[in-house]
Structure formats: C-alpha cells, structure tokens
Amino acid sequence: MIETATARRRAGDWAGACAAANIDVDLQPRLLARRHGREFAALLRADLRHLAPDLLRWHMPRIAPDGLLRPGLTLTLARYGTGAEALHLVARTPPAWADAGQRISLALWDASRRHETDRRHPHPRPSRRFRLDLHRHLWDVRRAGELRARSGEGGPAPETAGSLCSGPLPSVPLPAGPLLDGSLSDGPSLDGPLPAGPLPDGPLPAVPLADGKRCAVDRWAAEAAILLRAEGRSGGRVGVRLGARHRVVLDLSDDGERTALSHARAPDPSLPVLPDAATWVLPDLELLRAGAIDTGRLHPLVASALGAQRSATSRAPERAGDPRVVECRGARHRIGLVDGVLVALDHDPAEVRREELLAAFGGPPLPCLRAVDEAHRRPDCLPGVRERLHHGDIAGALAAVESLLGPEAVLRDGPLRDVLERAARRRIAHGLFRAGLEGPSPGSLRPWDRRRSRDDGPHPRHM
C-alpha cells in the first residue's frame, strides 16, 4: 500500500494515491471552487496534492486490543478561515458496525451547512482531541521532516510550528493511584505527591502510566502554546486528557515565561484540549526504544524524519503451491496444487474416488484426504487470514487462501468459510452505510460495536 500510494502521489495523482490507501474521497474540488471561491480551491488542491494518505493511515488513532482504526471519528486535517466560519478538511472513520475494510473518507466540513454524510455519521463534528491541523507533519509531505522536533527527539521545532516556551514544567502535587505510577528517571517517585520546587534542568523524561503509555511531558508547554496561538490567544489554560477520568490543566502566561501544572477533578468543556498527538510519546519511538521493531518496519517518511536508516528486512522467498508432506499409512506422501486445486499427489484418481466414497459411508478417511479436508475447513493460516480481513487487507487474505487451496478450490463448511462469509457481509454493511441505507447491524459480536453516541438512535436490539 505504501509503495503504490507513494508512486501515485509522486506522479501527481492524489486521488489514485487515496484509492491505493483505501481512502474514499467525498468532496469535489470543482464544485467547492464555485461555492467558496478560487482562492479556497487553490489552497485545498495544494493540500490534496501534498497529502500522503498512507502516512495519514499510519498515524490515525487506533483502539485496543487489535489496533483497528478508532471507529466513528472525525478529525481535522486542515482549517481554512478562522472562527466559526472556518472550513475543515476532515478525515472520517465509519462506525464499528460498518468498519469492514478499515476505510477512511475525506470530506469538507462546514459548520453552516449540514451535509448528507453528517446525518449518517455518529460524530460529524471534528473532534477536539484529534486535531491534525496542528500536526501537519503526520500527513503532509511538505512538513514530514518536523516529526523529529515535534516528538522531542531533535532541537527546537521550526518557526512554522511555533516557538517553544522556555524553562521546564514546575513540579506540583499530582494524585497518586490510578493517574500515574512508576517514577521519573533520576527523580522522585510518583507514589505520592511530588515535592514543591522545580524539577532538575533539562527536558523532562516521559511519565509512565498504568496502561503502558507514556506522556510527552517535556513537549506539553510548547504544544500548548501552539494550540493557544491557533485559538487566537497568547496565553491561558489548556486541558490535558490522561484518561477517561483524569485531567491535568496547563496554565501558560502570555509571555510564555511561566507554566503552571495542576490536576483537574472534572473536565472543563470551555478549555481547549491538548491533542492526543501532543500528549503521548510517539508510538514509533516507543517501539524502537523497546526493540520491538527495527527501522525497516517504519514508514519511509517516518524513518527519514527520525534520522534512522531503514534496513531491508530479510525474508525467505515464499513460493505458493509447494507440496506439503503428510504421514499416510506409514509412508510420507505429498499434497499440492494441480490445475488450481489442492489434491493428494501420491494417490491415483481412482483410489481417491474410492476412499472418498468409503469416507462418505462412515469409513476412516485416508490421511492425505483428511489433510486436504482440514486445509479447506480449518487451515493453519486461519489466524493470519482473519487478521488480514480485520485490518482491511482483503487481497492479502484471498492470496493466502489461494496459495494454500488453489484459485479453483470450492470452500467446504467450516471456520474458514465462516470467516470469509462474515467478511463479505461486513463489506455489504459498509456499502450500505456509505449509501445511507442501513443502520447498525444487530448481528455484530465485537464489544465496541455496542458503544453508541447520542446521535446513533435506538439500540439494534430495540429496532
């Protein structure tokens, strides 16, 4: 996906790059030019030409436990204008019941106009927590090089990202228990309130949280200044969301010289919210530091921005259709593909038909035929096929099945067929959602499918 989308983007085909990255385009630049003027259309086209849809997908918010895209989300990529009259270029994810293919859609959100897509989306308004207009380096190739500075790995951020607030954040009492645990490296423990007085000089290390995520505390002041400047203010208070019930309030002075940090017992809806991309340490950095991945697994633009040399991942070539060995009645027999169908290679067709007839009448099946039947019903690659389908790689899932069973195979009843049929039904549900023809599917079994917003309407059980 990354290679295809990059090649099309470099050729100037931004729509083709979006198609390669499974991103639907729900806007028409020519129509928008007639409605909002040529100046706006020129800005929009420039952003679309420099949009890296594969990089956007790489940095999109995700959910546990499988790392799927956060469903029902609308986030701003760019704002045109100021105040309530601003137009937003937004990226949207469908609700969980219609997330087959893990597709994303691009649209233009206008607060003064209610579109058809707004009426069928559970959260049509752009989220305050996920604002990529303040983090263009996560999708815009012109700003991709800022990732190192904005993630705290390099020097000061560029002028376009806003000046940094001088001085480290002061130490203040924070609640113990569910909010923070662990300790600052070379610093006091967080099991109780922090002592008064400033922390040691230099950037603050990341604060470990109970769920394993780490806060980018040393970037909070600078990112809060960028947020306030985008809101037309030089100073003020900014809320930082650390969890469903935990908030911290940053208070920046107008001159940026002083920064206060305090704990908020309840969220204040009037405060601007520090985006999640500025709250937490970049996941790519966490994975690299932990040794969970090597640089060859990073997105090329991410690796280049972090100054890492991408190493080619050495893999043994996989050849589809290679025969597999089966222990059959004291001998080692082979099963493989013949004319696009998985068959027993060491048994002649007459013997295979005789053994199939005996098995149909209740006799013990031939081990080679049992292996072929098991491959059709419950193959070893079933977990990989299921994960590919969940993450939208339908072509990869079908390729894995065809390499095992052959392109001419007829699936038999079993878990493999059930998984593919369920994926097909979810693709139909996604198409109906895009057309506005159906609501939530009552047959969904995933727990987050039951999460609803106030705009979702009645529960499927009551429909």
Side-chain angles (χ1 to χ4, degrees), residues 320-321 381 385 388 393-407 420:
C381 65
V385 170
R388 286 181 180 272
D393 186 11
I394 297 175
L398 295 180
V401 174
E402 288 185 359
S403 66
L404 174 66
L405 305 178
L420 295 176

Side-chain angles (χ1 to χ4, degrees), residues 308-327:
Q309 297 293 331
R310 295 183 76 247
S311 58
T313 305
S314 59
R315 295 183 180 180
E318 298 180 0
R319 293 179 296 176
D322 286 348
R324 280 154 286 167
V325 178
V326 177
E327 293 290 340

Side-chain angles (χ1 to χ4, degrees), residues 9-277:
R9 172 179 56 80
R10 288 176 175 173
D13 183 11
W14 65 267
C18 290
N22 289 346
I23 294 182
D24 302 307
V25 180
D26 293 335
L27 53 85
Q28 301 178 13
R30 291 184 180 179
L31 178 61
L32 296 173
R34 290 195 297 267
R35 180 178 298 166
H36 301 287
R38 293 184 178 180
E39 183 178 356
F40 160 76
L43 295 174
L44 176 63
R45 285 195 177 96
D47 285 338
L48 292 176
R49 283 196 301 268
H50 294 93
L51 165 68
D54 49 309
L55 183 63
L56 171 63
R57 178 176 290 277
W58 182 274
H59 289 297
M60 281 290 287
R62 299 179 180 270
I63 59 173
D66 298 323
L68 300 177
L69 295 177
R70 179 178 286 273
L73 177 66
T74 299
L75 56 85
T76 300
L77 299 182
R79 284 200 307 177
Y80 309 98
T82 57
E85 302 293 330
L87 302 174
H88 295 245
L89 176 63
V90 297
R92 284 176 170 152
T93 57
W97 63 268
D99 66 351
Q102 291 289 281
R103 301 189 69 87
I104 305 170
S105 62
L106 287 181
L108 189 72
W109 185 78
D110 186 354
S112 61
R113 300 173 62 93
R114 187 168 179 84
H115 302 276
E116 180 65 28
T117 54
D118 292 353
R119 285 193 288 270
R120 62 175 180 257
H121 197 275
H123 301 285
R125 296 184 64 87
S127 172
R128 297 198 304 160
R129 283 181 55 196
F130 305 100
R131 290 188 55 179
L132 298 192
D133 59 315
L134 303 181
H135 297 267
R136 278 180 168 258
H137 56 281
L138 301 183
W139 62 268
D140 191 335
V141 293
R142 296 169 295 185
R143 306 278 290 274
E146 298 177 10
L147 178 66
R148 181 178 178 87
R150 295 292 293 272
S151 61
E153 285 295 288
E159 293 294 333
T160 55
S163 58
L164 302 180
C165 294
S166 58
L169 292 175
S171 174
V172 296
L174 290 176
L179 176 61
L180 301 171
D181 70 355
S183 62
L184 294 171
S185 58
D186 300 329
S189 172
L190 291 180
D191 292 336
L194 295 178
L199 292 175
D201 294 336
L204 292 178
V207 180
L209 293 183
D211 60 358
K213 296 201 298 187
R214 292 175 176 268
C215 298
V217 185
D218 55 325
R219 288 289 305 163
W220 280 2
E223 296 292 342
I226 296 173
L227 173 61
L228 291 174
R229 191 156 37 252
E231 299 290 333
R233 292 185 284 174
S234 58
R237 303 171 68 203
V238 174
V240 182
R241 186 182 187 275
L242 297 180
R245 299 181 181 179
H246 305 297
R247 303 291 189 276
V248 171
V249 176
L250 286 174
D251 193 353
L252 274 69
S253 60
D254 291 340
D255 54 9
E257 295 292 335
R258 296 179 305 278
T259 305
L261 180 65
S262 61
H263 177 64
R265 295 295 177 184
D268 187 352
S270 64
L271 293 181
V273 179
L274 193 68
D276 270 31

